[in-house]
Amino acid sequence: MYRFLLAPRWLAVSALALLAVPFCVFMGSWQLSRFDMRVAQHRTAKHDSVKIAAEAPVPLASVLPNVRAQVPGADSGRQISATGSYDAGHQLLVPDRTLDGRNGFYVLTPLRVGGGAALPVVRGWLPGDASAAERSRSIPAAPAGQVTVTGALQNPESTDTSGVSASGALPSGQLGIISAASLVNVLPYPVYGGWITAAHPSAPLKAVPPAAPPNSGLDLKAFQNLGYTGQWFVFAAFVVFMWFRLIRREAEARADAALGLLPEEDDGVPEGPGPGPGGVDAGPDAERTEGSAAHVA
């Protein structure tokens, strides 16, 4: 019944299916391995960030030797100690920042360190509206004199940073994005590329948890890999399904043909009276002509 599978056409179809199925399975397995790799990287980065945060503070100069230095990826979240004096005259508020599900703002005060440069320090978070708090003068003053601040080193923010709102112009004394690129326009001295969030703010300020390092979470690419995995496995199953379906249809068609159940093909003969003598159609006019001839006879 299935001897037709030995025909050249069916041998080619079967060979194509046998090649397509392993290829689809291989591609699906490869995409799954890419997803597993990204998950492992996420877990490793999370473990490293927790480990780094628990280490003893290191001097600012050991991580950021100058204002042009960028925050090393391995040092994001590391505890940094910096000594200098707060510049309360250039204090800034960062509005629309949430903490524990409540809306509020950051209090950012530049810390002037050696060489005249400033390290942006988020001294803490307060609930409510930044503009209203500034008008009511309810923001705690920064400590005077020389201080040593300890906090988690953070990467510069961008418009893609979670929680950042870059919509519209802000009132004077407020800042939308914490980065050297935005601070250089409002501060009269050089600014470090990174910033820190103070570990022990004075009441009523609340400590701002350090953000996760960039590209340390499960991004869209990880879920794309997972989606592609499912697609390739579906393709493999579809190839197997179509192969069996085609074989079944061919077997059923051959069985029907053996039993004489296939519909007869149209022979192309038109309906109506057949051709008369000499191959001429015997239509109504021909009948009248024949009748007249008989009457004359």
Side-chain angles (χ1 to χ4, degrees):
M1 182 177 180
Y2 294 97
R3 293 181 62 184
F4 63 87
L5 291 175
L6 299 178
R9 179 170 64 91
W10 277 101
L11 288 175
V13 171
S14 301
L16 182 62
L18 290 175
L19 291 175
V21 171
F23 175 77
C24 293
V25 172
F26 169 77
M27 292 300 298
S29 302
W30 181 75
Q31 290 289 348
L32 184 60
S33 68
R34 297 289 297 175
F35 174 75
D36 291 337
M37 181 192 70
R38 294 183 187 277
V39 172
Q41 289 176 345
H42 168 66
R43 291 175 178 172
T44 302
K46 187 175 181 180
H47 177 268
D48 291 344
S49 63
V50 172
K51 181 181 178 181
I52 290 175
E55 294 178 353
V58 298
L60 172 65
S62 65
V63 180
L64 297 178
N66 53 64
V67 295
R68 294 183 298 275
Q70 301 296 320
V71 177
D75 290 321
S76 180
R78 184 181 298 278
Q79 293 294 311
I80 299 295
S81 64
T83 301
S85 57
Y86 281 119
D87 182 6
H90 289 92
Q91 181 168 275
L92 298 166
L93 305 181
V94 186
D96 301 325
R97 298 304 176 101
T98 59
L99 183 65
D100 298 332
R102 301 173 62 190
N103 189 51
F105 57 93
Y106 294 166
V107 179
L108 186 151
T109 311
L111 181 71
R112 299 293 301 275
V113 296
L119 174 68
V121 177
V122 172
R123 295 196 293 120
W125 175 90
L126 287 174
D129 181 71
S131 299
E134 193 171 13
R135 288 192 299 267
S136 63
R137 300 181 182 275
S138 59
I139 302 171
Q146 190 176 61
V147 295
T148 298
V149 183
T150 301
L153 181 63
Q154 300 288 277
N155 282 274
E157 292 183 338
S158 66
T159 54
D160 297 329
T161 303
S162 177
V164 168
S165 176
S167 59
L170 294 173
S172 177
Q174 296 187 22
L175 185 70
I177 301 176
I178 306 176
S179 68
S182 58
L183 286 167
V184 73
N185 297 320
V186 295
L187 298 180
Y189 34 73
V191 183
Y192 280 89
W195 56 284
I196 67 172
T197 170
H200 306 288
S202 56
L205 293 170
K206 293 186 177 181
V208 176
N215 303 321
S216 61
L218 287 178
D219 55 7
L220 182 60
K221 292 183 179 179
F223 295 101
Q224 285 178 342
N225 292 136
L226 191 60
Y228 293 150
T229 298
Q231 288 181 1
W232 282 112
F233 287 149
V234 169
F235 291 158
F238 181 75
V239 170
V240 175
F241 168 76
M242 288 302 300
W243 186 69
F244 278 105
R245 182 186 176 94
L246 292 174
I247 291 176
R248 182 178 177 182
R249 289 181 60 184
E250 182 73 12
E252 290 176 348
R254 289 176 178 270
D256 291 344
L259 296 175
L261 299 178
L262 292 180
E264 295 183 359
E265 296 182 357
D266 188 6
D267 55 5
V269 178
E271 297 181 357
V280 180
D281 288 344
D285 293 338
E287 292 178 358
R288 286 197 297 271
T289 304
E290 293 177 358
S292 299
H295 177 71
V296 172

